[in-house]
Amino acid sequence: MNIGTIGHVDHGKTTLTAAITKCLAEKGGAQFTDYNMIDKAPEERARGITINAAHVEYETETRHYGHIDCPGHADYIKNMITGAAQMDGAIIVVSATDGQMPQTREHLLLARQVGVKKLVVFINKVDQISDPEMLELVDMEMRDLLGTYNFDGENTPIIMGSALAALEGRDPEIGSKKIVELVQACDDWLDLPLRDLEKPFLLPVEDVFSISGRGTVATGRVERGVASKGTEVEVLGLGESFKTTLTGIEMFHKELDRAEAGDNMGALLRGVKREQVKRGQVIIAPGSMKAVKVFKAQIYVLTKDEGGRYTPFTSGYKPQLFLRTADVSVELKFDDPAKMAMPGDNVELECNLHSSVALEVGSRFTLREGHKTIATGVVVETKE
Ligand SMILES: Nc1nc2c(ncn2[C@@H]2O[C@H](COP(=O)(O)OP(=O)(O)OP(=O)(O)O)[C@@H](O)[C@H]2O)c(=O)[nH]1
Ligand SMILES: [Mg+2]
């Protein structure tokens, strides 16, 4: 599963990442990646945005973790919204010396918005604190804060230690032992994500053909789930929804009985006219998704250096929204009509689509204007 370290600047996310690899390397479950190797990660490009995220990997007895640590605050936000740092769970790092800070809260909110269900807390820098009541206070305040953002404040594991002590191989009581406890808490508390194959079937329609004598075939790459020949499916989106039967599955000009996540398939649909199916719709396990016109989203507005706008936009702005294969116009609305979104901002707003698109909480999209990608976003709440 994918996890990552989040939390306020300088609270010790990178030190902790390095410490985890060090402690697990001693058990043979990781390759030690030192602090300066993580913070000097090569630039990488994801979805046209330049990001600097360090990926490390480690293994416990039961799990393999991909772990993401990002160097700068703005990158965290961008990475979480674009999905470049896709996390199934996260470790929120809080310095015992400062307690919760603005970005502790902001990252918690974002984690919630992008669909992270469970977190583990690491209260760091306890080597700097001599008063145990101080630590109790940070613990209590974190539990409160978790509850505020709809995480399980009561049961979330909170580990207190010193990432630096662990990294420097001293004071094992607050160092390496606490890292081992932290990783154990991740194993025990964070839920493994459903694998793509276990999810309901979803095929975004890329293209539609009419094959004489056979009928209408929709093609695309199966995003998740499994479909078998002869099962009922639903075609959804762009104002249409109907059920039909998947009478044939074609891959590389071969007839098959089954298609699964990752496959490029042609779906032969019974009794369906070519005009009824369009690029931008989805073919799904019946009832597994809804077509939505209005939703709330968290978006990151690209800066001009990232290829985005030079100027802010206001409520009522109408770019094009791209989600899977769908491309529809959308009107953006802020709660406060006087608000402006500047390049570089991270904002929540309401999206009103010109026609309904199959989407759900956690669906990611981009906003474009002409040939420019101006923002990237994630659905946080659907309205209708
Ligand atoms: N005393 C003490 N210092 C620590 C501990 N963990 C980290 N630090 C120090 O805190 C500073 C910040 O640590 P980083 O790991 O870079 O923090 P970060 O959260 O990755 O910071 P950004 O990526 O800039 O947000 C460094 O000087 C670390 O050496 C700790 O357990 N005890
Ligand atoms: Mg860092």
Side-chain angles (χ1 to χ4, degrees):
M1 69 184 291
N2 292 317
I3 61 172
T5 34
I6 59 175
H8 195 75
V9 59
D10 262 1
H11 278 195
K13 300 176 292 291
T14 303
T15 310
L16 181 64
T17 303
I20 294 173
T21 65
K22 180 172 183 195
C23 292
L24 290 182
E26 281 157 15
K27 297 178 161 193
Q31 195 182 349
F32 175 40
T33 315
D34 204 357
Y35 184 87
N36 46 19
M37 288 155 77
I38 296 173
D39 256 3
K40 291 209 181 84
E43 286 203 332
E44 65 177 46
R45 299 202 126 238
R47 302 183 191 202
I49 304 166
T50 310
I51 52 158
N52 292 294
H55 298 251
V56 299
E57 286 178 72
Y58 44 84
E59 252 161 47
T60 63
E61 262 151 41
T62 52
R63 289 183 180 180
H64 179 101
Y65 289 97
H67 178 123
I68 302 153
D69 179 61
C70 314
H73 176 64
D75 283 339
Y76 264 99
I77 292 175
K78 209 164 34 179
N79 281 305
M80 285 170 81
I81 293 176
T82 59
Q86 191 118 43
M87 296 181 202
D88 308 307
I91 301 169
I92 180 134
V93 183
V94 195
S95 167
T97 55
D98 295 346
Q100 46 176 272
M101 294 288 280
Q103 286 149 29
T104 316
R105 296 187 275 274
E106 192 178 10
H107 287 185
L108 270 184
L109 172 65
L110 272 172
R112 163 66 27 195
Q113 305 276 62
V114 304
V116 173
K117 301 239 161 38
K118 284 183 172 181
L119 302 160
V120 172
V121 179
F122 190 75
I123 297 179
N124 191 28
K125 307 197 189 185
V126 303
D127 55 318
Q128 305 241 294
I129 302 291
S130 48
D131 180 3
E133 275 181 28
M134 219 12 217
L135 294 178
E136 249 173 68
L137 194 66
V138 179
D139 179 296
M140 260 168 46
E141 283 181 352
M142 270 314 284
R143 291 196 186 281
D144 270 0
L145 191 66
L146 287 169
T148 308
Y149 292 111
N150 286 323
F151 291 103
D152 183 346
E154 210 174 309
N155 298 307
T156 295
I158 296 187
I159 317 294
M160 299 187 183
S162 165
L164 192 60
L167 186 60
E168 292 177 348
R170 60 177 164 85
D171 305 321
E173 289 304 318
I174 54 166
S176 56
K177 279 196 182 156
K178 292 298 168 181
I179 303 296
V180 171
E181 260 182 55
L182 172 70
V183 173
Q184 187 65 49
C186 290
D187 275 358
D188 294 342
W189 176 249
L190 302 178
D191 297 320
L192 287 176
L194 273 186
R195 290 188 305 161
D196 279 346
L197 286 182
E198 296 164 338
K199 296 176 186 165
F201 179 71
L202 167 60
L203 171 73
V205 175
E206 278 170 24
D207 221 335
V208 186
F209 302 96
S210 171
I211 300 180
S212 62
R214 299 206 62 198
T216 299
V217 174
T219 62
R221 184 169 177 275
V222 182
E223 185 173 307
R224 63 194 188 200
V226 175
S228 313
K229 189 172 155 176
T231 52
E232 190 177 55
V233 291
E234 183 177 355
V235 178
L236 184 69
L238 306 181
E240 292 227 40
S241 163
F242 57 90
K243 288 185 185 145
T244 176
T245 303
L246 187 62
T247 44
I249 294 174
E250 222 171 86
M251 265 184 263
F252 300 110
H253 306 291
K254 268 202 209 112
E255 279 282 324
L256 295 173
D257 292 332
R258 185 176 175 278
E260 61 175 48
D263 289 340
N264 281 299
M265 73 177 282
L268 183 64
L269 304 170
R270 174 181 289 159
V272 172
K273 292 203 190 72
R274 199 201 141 132
E275 312 80 71
Q276 285 179 278
V277 190
K278 297 187 249 331
R279 179 185 170 87
Q281 290 177 324
V282 293
I283 298 176
I284 55 171
S288 60
M289 283 184 94
K290 285 206 173 92
V292 173
K293 252 185 144 166
V294 183
F295 62 92
K296 275 209 159 147
Q298 189 82 35
I299 68 163
Y300 170 75
V301 185
L302 270 63
T303 63
K304 70 173 175 8
D305 291 339
E306 292 165 333
R309 288 168 60 95
Y310 288 66
T311 53
F313 62 82
T314 52
S315 214
Y317 177 51
K318 282 188 185 162
Q320 285 294 112
L321 178 138
F322 290 76
L323 194 157
R324 299 198 173 88
T325 55
D327 163 9
V328 291
S329 80
V330 58
E331 181 171 356
L332 307 179
K333 284 190 188 150
F334 296 114
D335 277 349
D336 171 6
K339 192 179 160 60
M340 278 200 286
M342 306 289 288
D345 277 357
N346 157 42
V347 284
E348 191 181 271
L349 41 67
E350 189 179 273
C351 298
N352 292 261
L353 296 174
H354 182 69
S355 54
S356 63
V357 168
L359 54 80
E360 59 204 355
V361 171
S363 296
R364 291 197 157 81
F365 58 86
T366 57
L367 298 176
R368 294 173 62 93
E369 174 191 290
H371 293 296
K372 255 186 195 169
T373 299
I374 59 121
T376 135
V378 56
V379 176
V380 300
E381 188 189 334
T382 57
K383 295 239 158 140
E384 58 177 72

